[in-house]
Structure formats: C-alpha cells, structure tokens
Amino acid sequence: LGIYAVTATSPAGPWSEPVLVKAGKGLIDPCPLWDDDGRVYLVHAWARSRAGFANVLTLNRLSADGLHAIDEGKVIVDGEQLPGYRTLEGPKLYKRNGAYWIFAPAGGVKTGWQSVFRSTSIDGPYEARIVLEQGSTDINGPHQGAWVDTPEGEHWFLHFQDLEAYGRVVHLQPMTWRTDGWPVMGVDQ
C-alpha cells in the first residue's frame, strides 16, 4: 500500500516495474513538483476509508529522481482548521512568481468547490481561497481541477462535473490572474 511510480523513456513503453515512493494506507491523489533549486516534492491527500482520517494535505521531500520519499512528511494544509471544509483532496502543486500554489477541490464531488492555497514557502503557512464554486449556475461541484499553461502564455483550468448517470463531464475554462495574485477561472463575477 502506498504511492508508486513507473518510468519509461517513451510514452509507448516499455514501462518499469512499480517503485514504492511512499508506503502508507489511504494515501491518494499524489502530485510531484520539481523546484527551481533541483529539490523534488510530493503533495498528497488522504482517504478516510483507508487512513482513518482525511481533509488534510501532506508534503514530502523526495529523492532527486523523484522515486523515494526522504522524510516523514508534514501536514501543510489542514482542512479541519478551515471553516466549512470537508473532503479536501486532489491537490496539484505548482510554483509561479516565487510562490507555491496548491489547487485542490473540497466539499465532495457533487457539492464541492475549488480551492487554491498560496505560500512563499513550500512548507507554508498557506493562505486559502475558494476560487470556483457552483453559485447560481447548473455546473455543480467543480472537481479534480488542474491549471494548464501554454507556451503562448495562455492559462486554462480543466475540471470535471459529476452528472450521475451521464458520468463526469470535463470542462475547460480560461483562467486569468487578478492584480492581487489569485487565479480566476472563467469570468470574474
């Protein structure tokens, strides 16, 4: 049990045997970051059904090849300390303009929202903002989103919406950055 990695020199393979990066029960949604200074990090969430707790994001330092956790890990975002937060998961870790950013959904697949956390230190503390939620739209629970930037300098936000029997519908929205530094998905209301 834990987080595993496989490697290949081509997307077509052949792929290596799985390598255990971090052992543990209930570790979910891992995302690595190769920092400017060559250090490698991994952020992940926890599944309550297997770990016995959830609603927190943990950061580990990894070996230079990204294949082994080299520390015990540290909780860097505790959803229990944020009003109304539940089911914080799916973190994506980025660095932009010297700040560390974690994009993570919370509140559950059908009723949740998209949060973004920002810090000038990888270890935190992190400021929290809800940046996308259903509001008065028909698009429930933006979930498992990711920021995509293009070589042309465009920014996009990709996420899904759970439509029960219809499955999970993918949405792609333009993303901009406000003057206060926080991202805006879609149109800033």
Side-chain angles (χ1 to χ4, degrees):
L1 300 174
I3 296 171
Y4 288 82
V6 293
T7 60
T9 56
S10 165
W15 289 86
S16 70
E17 290 296 315
V19 174
L20 180 62
V21 175
K22 181 179 178 183
K25 218 174 162 182
L27 290 74
I28 60 170
D29 303 333
C31 180
L33 172 77
W34 278 262
D35 207 341
D36 305 331
D37 62 6
R39 293 183 188 174
V40 186
Y41 300 94
L42 178 82
V43 66
H44 68 84
W46 297 86
R48 185 178 313 279
S49 61
R50 296 182 298 280
F53 66 96
N55 209 27
V56 298
L57 304 179
T58 298
L59 179 76
N60 280 94
R61 283 169 173 70
L62 299 182
S63 57
D65 62 5
L67 295 178
H68 303 284
I70 58 174
D71 66 7
E72 293 299 312
K74 168 186 178 178
V75 172
I76 56 170
V77 178
D78 183 351
E80 298 299 318
Q81 303 302 313
L82 299 170
Y85 270 69
R86 61 192 188 284
T87 321
L88 179 61
E89 60 185 351
K92 311 295 185 293
L93 181 59
Y94 308 98
K95 188 172 185 183
R96 178 178 190 268
N97 294 340
Y100 296 91
W101 298 85
I102 301 172
F103 287 47
V109 175
K110 294 181 184 175
T111 59
W113 57 89
Q114 180 67 42
S115 293
V116 172
F117 303 91
R118 171 177 75 180
S119 178
T120 56
S121 168
I122 189 85
D123 293 308
Y126 281 84
E127 302 173 75
R129 287 258 176 108
I130 295 174
V131 296
L132 184 63
E133 57 190 332
Q134 182 172 352
S136 61
T137 74
D138 294 330
I139 312 299
N140 66 298
H143 206 73
Q144 294 286 1
W147 162 32
V148 178
D149 59 334
T150 70
E152 294 77 29
E154 298 171 320
H155 299 272
W156 297 89
F157 186 68
L158 181 71
H159 66 93
F160 74 76
Q161 169 195 18
D162 187 296
L163 286 177
E164 298 186 1
Y166 297 102
R168 293 179 167 179
V169 176
V170 177
H171 292 261
L172 178 65
Q173 298 176 304
M175 189 174 101
T176 56
W177 295 88
R178 295 168 48 115
T179 55
D180 64 2
W182 291 92
V184 174
M185 286 77 171
V187 178
D188 188 355
Q189 299 288 333

